[in-house]
Amino acid sequence: MPQKSEQPSFAEILRGTERSAVHLEMRDAYGDNERFAAWRRGHRTDWSDRATWWRGFHEEVAGAVARGVVIRRARVVSEPVSEYVRWEHDVTRANVGAGEHVRWLPRRSASDLALPGNDYWLFDDRLARIHHFAGDGSLVDDEFSTDPTLLKLLASSFEAVWERAIPHEKYSV
């Protein structure tokens, strides 16, 4: 059974990561946020003005990548995609710019995959940060686990999605 513990920040965990960090996302929408709301009102990112879109998260990712950590994100999405996923696809350019490798898997291509019930990060195959969301997509809680059986399941499910998923630059929404 997964165990709860003190919750280190994402930045703290990533700074201690040596080889790899993978993130599996399986929701078609997450809680509302100001950036998504602005996008819905027609605001688009000015990619030539890095100061307007580069955030602390991107700095942490870029730093880890510079140390040799491979960071991969896979998103399982319904098609046609939700408005939220269209926004995510648009702003994923920032993740890629920070050094993440991102792929998208249409949900219909995942029907025969055994996937966990929650989104998660997996760091060096040694620590899982499992996200628990409310029905409206807002984050309720993060759970941490070092259980070897769970880590193995999460690693294999991510790799199964990654193998089938479409690289960000080739996926259209």
Side-chain angles (χ1 to χ4, degrees):
M1 192 69 170
Q3 56 206 10
K4 278 193 142 183
S5 62
E6 289 300 313
Q7 297 198 358
S9 71
F10 175 82
E12 291 169 326
I13 298 169
L14 194 58
R15 285 184 208 127
T17 301
E18 297 173 357
R19 298 178 322 280
S20 69
V22 300
H23 190 194
L24 183 61
E25 298 178 0
M26 297 180 288
R27 297 183 58 93
D28 289 320
Y30 295 86
D32 260 340
N33 64 68
E34 180 49 41
R35 292 172 55 227
F36 176 49
W39 184 87
R40 289 173 70 194
R41 292 189 303 269
H43 171 74
R44 295 301 180 261
T45 304
D46 177 359
W47 296 109
S48 67
D49 184 6
R50 181 174 161 172
T52 64
W53 56 267
W54 191 259
R55 301 186 178 346
F57 170 82
H58 303 116
E59 194 65 37
E60 293 295 339
V61 167
V65 169
R67 290 192 331 271
V69 177
V70 176
I71 301 178
R72 297 181 294 158
R73 179 186 304 257
R75 292 181 171 134
V76 178
V77 296
S78 300
E79 292 180 326
V81 300
S82 67
E83 185 177 34
Y84 194 96
V85 168
R86 282 198 322 270
W87 170 69
E88 275 188 321
H89 188 271
D90 184 45
V91 298
T92 292
R93 181 172 173 178
N95 298 67
V96 172
E100 276 192 40
H101 303 276
V102 180
R103 292 187 181 180
W104 304 80
L105 182 64
R107 194 171 308 282
R108 70 176 46 247
S109 297
S111 296
D112 63 339
L113 298 179
L115 300 175
N118 299 292
D119 292 8
Y120 60 88
W121 277 94
L122 182 59
F123 302 92
D124 287 337
D125 294 329
R126 65 173 173 73
L127 175 66
R129 182 177 186 168
I130 303 160
H131 303 302
H132 297 284
F133 292 97
D136 67 0
S138 60
L139 182 64
V140 173
D141 190 10
D142 279 335
E143 175 183 354
F144 292 82
S145 180
T146 56
D147 175 53
T149 303
L150 178 60
L151 298 177
K152 184 177 178 180
L153 169 72
L154 298 179
S156 66
S157 66
F158 181 87
E159 294 305 329
V161 169
W162 188 258
E163 181 179 306
R164 290 186 187 178
I166 302 161
H168 175 70
E169 62 276 4
K170 294 181 180 178
Y171 184 72
S172 299
V173 294

